[in-house]
Amino acid sequence: MKLLVFCLIIIANVSNNGKASIETIVPATTNVLLSDTTRNSDKSCYRPCKFNVKPRRCQYNFKIEPTLEADGKAALVINAITPGPPIHVCVNDIVIVKVQNKVPGQDITLHWHGVEQKGTPYMDGVPMVTQCPIAFGSTYEYAFIASSPGTFFYHANSVSHQSDGVYGSLIVDQPQPLEPHSSLYDFDKSKDHTILLGARFSELLTGNLNGKHLRPDSIVVNGEKKSSKIFVIPGYAYRLRFVNAVAVECPLVVDIEQHDMVVIASDSKPVRPVSTNKVLLYPGERMDVVVNAARKNGGYWVNVYGLGICEGLIAHGMFLYSGFNYTSLLHQGPTLTSELLNSETIIQGQHLLSLQDQTYYNKDVKTIYLGVDRYVIPFEDNDNDYRYISDGVPKKTFYPAAVSLHDNGVVQINNKNFLYPNGLYLLKPQNVNPDSACNVGEEANHKQLQCLQVLKILDKQVVELALVNEGFGSNDSYTFHIHGYSAQVVATGRTSNGKPISKRDFSLLDKNGKIKRNIQNPPLKDTIVVPNKGYTIIRLKPDHGGSWMLECRSCSFFSLPAAILIDVPQSIPKAVIDVLPKCGSYRPVDVLLN
Ligand SMILES: *[C@@H]1O[C@H](CO)[C@@H](O)[C@H](O)[C@H]1NC(C)=O
Ligand SMILES: *[C@@H]1O[C@H](CO)[C@@H](O)[C@H](O)[C@H]1NC(C)=O
């Protein structure tokens, strides 16, 4: 075993130094037919969840590699498919995923989007923050407890790896009587009724440094442009789970012809039911809805409309009553209406209300200001060295070159870009260069364009973060994802005059009571949108330790990262630190989960 590990490391090093470009290793002629058998790799854990039974260990092997899809386009696939194998478990099961990186020249990590990682912050999948990246040829075994029920997904931490196909669903079920809205539906078949929305690009983004093909080519529904199917029986109500699994700024509006939907959950958390005919999901958001199959037997289109960078793109799936011959439906094609633009009934996750009152009320909650904006920064080529150095991986660029900075500027938080640490932050903070760090709120003291922006939480007091999209440098909205927590979205809004908003403007608005907070039943979200020339205010209760990213992933594509690290005190047992990888091949031991 030792020898094998040694060899893999050697191979990894050779490959990294050899700068193998990804195009050269994609097989040029063979088309890979997708095998259906891999879709069932989780047979052992997809089951009706029961009370008082022991949780299971659900084991998966993921091999990530480049391939050519049937349409001739290159993609990164997991076990030969994209989206990757779905993971379906019951709450409290232990999810174990052994990830093998077979993508030459690339470091990979997987992030479990929305999973709290209580007690396992080192399984969160952020390179150099929570783990060493998985180098080409090596493996890493993720292991964590599925501690909360709901709709989640997993994806490569890198925007380009995710965009090239490394994502899949992660559904955590619970005993039906515990589902707060189970009276609203007859069937919750998460395996058949999860709708993963993705995007395809005309070329692989991985290893592509020119940034020309930022706009997706097409939107896909469970990996297909038109032929994904949902089967229903007339007269029954179904729970469907939508996931926007796109990494770039591609909000998606979904409707089902002639069918209303009742929204029952957002980002895995139950909400007060709201009826609508259209839902809007920002990248990384999930929404569970109930659809009543109350129409005549037939076939109906599920329409997915792209916004933002995906403006103009449309994809479809089919909502089919059982026994209906859908050949004719496919033949006819979808009929599109243009009502999308003037629809006022589009439901968006952060405007929903949580099912239970959730008061994190705290008299002296302090507001931490995070000003987000795009700046054009004159800089020299040697400023462009945003690399990390780690113990086991050769020094090399992890993020694509920031070629577009000169023209379009770069999105920053408090006038800084995030700097990934040079040492493993969570486990070996003593290895991180102290000069590279800056505290949130005191960034101005730091001279460089980038610093490791850390918000240190010192006690268990509720923290309020005001994300303000100032809008001096752009008209874009930004989507943020917070790791490890669901945060309360207590307020969101825009300036009434449509003018940019400065820190002073915001403070004044807030002081004058112009910003109304919902502290009674705000939605709990891990993915939030900050409207342009507006704000979104979130609160979180730091009840489990770790180093958690709050990041705008889509902001930093082909650019510098826009993120901060929220550091909640934790103590990781030495026994665990000792077995965690030193950037080589690695197997966890059960002690990690105790
Ligand atoms: C479905 O419809 C198509 C054409 O509309 C027809 O060719 C085909 O035979 C039908 N299939 C079945 C099973 O009835
Ligand atoms: C934002 O929109 C306004 C009004 O349409 C326009 O004048 C301005 O140039 C835009 N700003 C950017 C950065 O695109």
Side-chain angles (χ1 to χ4, degrees):
M1 184 60 198
K2 270 230 168 81
L3 187 63
L4 177 63
V5 168
F6 183 65
C7 289
L8 287 174
I9 292 170
I10 299 276
I11 291 167
N13 285 343
V14 166
S15 157
N16 285 335
N17 295 337
K19 283 195 179 166
S21 103
I22 189 142
E23 284 78 12
T24 63
I25 47 83
V26 171
T29 51
T30 47
N31 278 357
V32 176
L33 293 175
L34 305 184
S35 145
D36 245 344
T37 54
T38 47
R39 290 179 193 269
N40 296 323
S41 62
D42 59 339
K43 251 184 212 141
S44 62
C45 283
Y46 184 53
R47 63 198 192 274
C49 301
K50 302 223 168 77
F51 288 104
N52 302 323
V53 292
K54 267 172 90 181
R56 290 192 190 168
R57 294 170 67 87
C58 308
Q59 270 174 290
Y60 309 84
N61 288 309
F62 281 10
K63 184 161 93 176
I64 305 178
E65 60 193 341
T67 191
L68 280 186
E69 293 277 82
D71 62 4
K73 282 188 189 167
L76 297 185
V77 290
I78 305 176
N79 301 349
I81 56 176
T82 174
I87 296 179
H88 292 266
V89 298
C90 289
V91 70
N92 295 324
D93 280 349
I94 299 170
V95 180
I96 299 171
V97 186
K98 185 174 182 182
V99 177
Q100 206 183 348
N101 173 5
K102 293 285 198 181
V103 187
Q106 297 293 313
D107 290 337
I108 290 181
T109 61
L110 289 192
H111 172 58
W112 316 92
H113 196 106
V115 175
E116 292 163 313
Q117 300 292 2
K118 275 188 183 157
T120 50
Y122 39 83
M123 293 299 174
D124 192 45
V126 182
M128 298 318 289
V129 173
T130 66
Q131 69 168 96
C132 297
I134 312 170
F136 169 61
S138 59
T139 61
Y140 185 92
E141 207 160 285
Y142 290 95
F144 56 87
I145 295 172
S147 55
S148 310
T151 304
F152 303 91
F153 74 119
Y154 62 82
H155 57 76
N157 185 74
S158 144
V159 169
S160 44
H161 297 158
Q162 181 183 348
S163 300
D164 289 335
V166 184
Y167 65 91
S169 58
L170 166 55
I171 311 295
V172 183
D173 285 318
Q174 63 180 338
Q176 206 62 12
L178 294 179
E179 287 288 350
H181 292 305
S182 59
S183 65
L184 298 180
Y185 50 86
D186 303 296
F187 292 107
D188 176 12
K189 298 196 285 182
S190 59
K191 196 136 194 177
D192 301 326
H193 294 156
T194 297
I195 297 144
L196 258 183
L197 306 170
R200 296 291 309 268
F201 292 76
S202 60
E203 284 174 40
L204 275 191
L205 300 187
T206 302
N208 178 346
L209 296 184
N210 68 23
K212 272 201 312 239
H213 302 285
L214 189 60
R215 192 183 132 87
D217 239 18
S218 55
I219 299 166
V220 286
V221 181
N222 291 332
E224 321 226 28
K225 282 178 198 160
K226 211 162 121 177
S227 53
S228 172
K229 302 169 197 73
I230 299 163
F231 291 101
V232 295
I233 301 167
Y236 290 98
Y238 291 82
R239 175 178 181 165
L240 309 184
R241 299 158 184 267
F242 296 117
V243 181
N244 182 337
V246 184
V248 295
E249 199 57 37
C250 173
L252 297 170
V253 174
V254 185
D255 69 16
I256 304 174
E257 266 183 346
Q258 299 183 38
H259 288 77
D260 279 348
M261 307 181 242
V262 178
V263 180
I264 57 167
S266 169
D267 289 1
S268 83
K269 300 293 184 202
V271 296
R272 299 195 181 190
V274 176
S275 184
T276 181
N277 58 2
K278 286 186 172 60
V279 293
L280 167 58
L281 293 99
Y282 283 84
E285 276 196 295
R286 291 89 64 209
M287 213 181 258
D288 295 17
V289 304
V290 172
V291 179
N292 204 339
R295 290 273 154 193
K296 280 206 312 281
N297 193 0
Y300 301 85
W301 290 102
V302 178
N303 301 310
V304 184
Y305 310 85
L307 300 176
I309 203 176
C310 291
E311 183 88 52
L313 299 179
I314 301 179
H316 308 278
M318 287 185 274
F319 189 79
L320 299 168
Y321 285 66
S322 64
F324 177 74
N325 180 352
Y326 56 80
T327 321
S328 56
L329 187 70
L330 257 182
H331 193 69
Q332 277 166 23
T335 43
L336 291 176
T337 57
S338 53
E339 70 173 306
L340 175 67
L341 297 176
N342 52 29
S343 175
E344 269 148 31
T345 61
I346 299 182
I347 296 294
Q348 182 184 336
Q350 69 190 25
H351 295 150
L352 296 163
L353 299 175
S354 69
L355 184 61
Q356 243 105 53
D357 284 0
Q358 300 272 355
T359 306
Y360 285 178
Y361 186 65
N362 176 338
K363 256 203 330 279
D364 359 274
V365 60
K366 196 175 137 235
T367 305
I368 294 154
Y369 186 86
L370 300 172
V372 187
D373 211 342
R374 185 181 286 277
Y375 298 93
V376 177
I377 296 157
F379 66 97
E380 330 235 313
D381 274 352
N382 60 357
D383 289 333
N384 208 350
D385 187 12
Y386 42 92
R387 305 163 188 212
Y388 63 72
I389 306 159
S390 71
D391 303 338
V393 182
K395 177 173 169 161
K396 65 192 175 71
T397 309
F398 186 71
Y399 281 82
V403 282
S404 61
L405 296 194
H406 301 281
D407 313 325
N408 301 333
V410 54
V411 180
Q412 299 189 317
I413 298 177
N414 291 349
N415 296 86
K416 290 286 181 224
N417 285 107
F418 185 75
L419 181 71
Y420 276 81
N422 64 306
L424 193 44
Y425 187 86
L426 180 69
L427 301 173
K428 299 183 189 169
Q430 68 278 13
N431 290 2
V432 176
N433 173 6
D435 295 337
S436 67
C438 59
N439 290 326
V440 166
E442 297 165 11
E443 287 98 338
N445 300 337
H446 208 271
K447 295 282 173 289
Q448 307 296 318
L449 175 68
Q450 286 176 271
C451 55
L452 173 59
Q453 286 163 283
V454 180
L455 175 63
K456 278 202 185 343
I457 308 277
L458 299 172
D459 51 33
K460 302 215 158 166
Q461 298 280 302
V462 172
V463 183
E464 181 174 277
L465 303 173
L467 288 143
V468 180
N469 182 350
E470 298 174 342
F472 291 96
S474 99
N475 293 326
D476 301 332
S477 293
Y478 302 119
T479 305
F480 280 79
H481 171 51
I482 182 163
H483 292 222
Y485 283 88
S486 292
Q488 292 187 331
V489 180
V490 295
T492 181
R494 312 178 76 142
T495 55
S496 52
N497 56 11
K499 295 234 172 77
I501 176 170
S502 67
K503 184 172 181 178
R504 247 191 90 218
D505 299 335
F506 177 82
S507 304
L508 221 57
L509 273 181
D510 204 11
K511 217 171 96 197
N512 296 337
K514 294 278 165 47
I515 294 173
K516 292 267 177 295
R517 287 172 176 75
N518 173 5
I519 55 168
Q520 192 195 338
N521 51 16
L524 280 167
K525 304 268 299 160
D526 55 59
T527 305
I528 57 167
V529 185
V530 190
N532 190 262
K533 300 173 183 60
Y535 52 83
T536 295
I537 304 175
I538 60 174
R539 288 187 177 186
L540 61 100
K541 199 154 97 192
D543 60 1
H544 55 283
S547 299
W548 310 108
M549 297 288 280
L550 169 64
E551 55 172 345
C552 177
R553 300 177 70 238
S554 57
C555 290
S556 58
F557 188 52
F558 284 121
S559 184
L560 301 178
I564 65 165
L565 198 55
I566 301 175
D567 213 14
V568 182
Q570 32 56 55
S571 60
I572 299 173
K574 187 173 178 303
V576 171
I577 294 178
D578 287 347
V579 296
L580 282 167
K582 312 285 184 283
C583 303
S585 201
Y586 158 69
R587 292 184 63 78
V589 289
D590 282 351
V591 63
L592 299 186
L593 291 162
N594 290 341

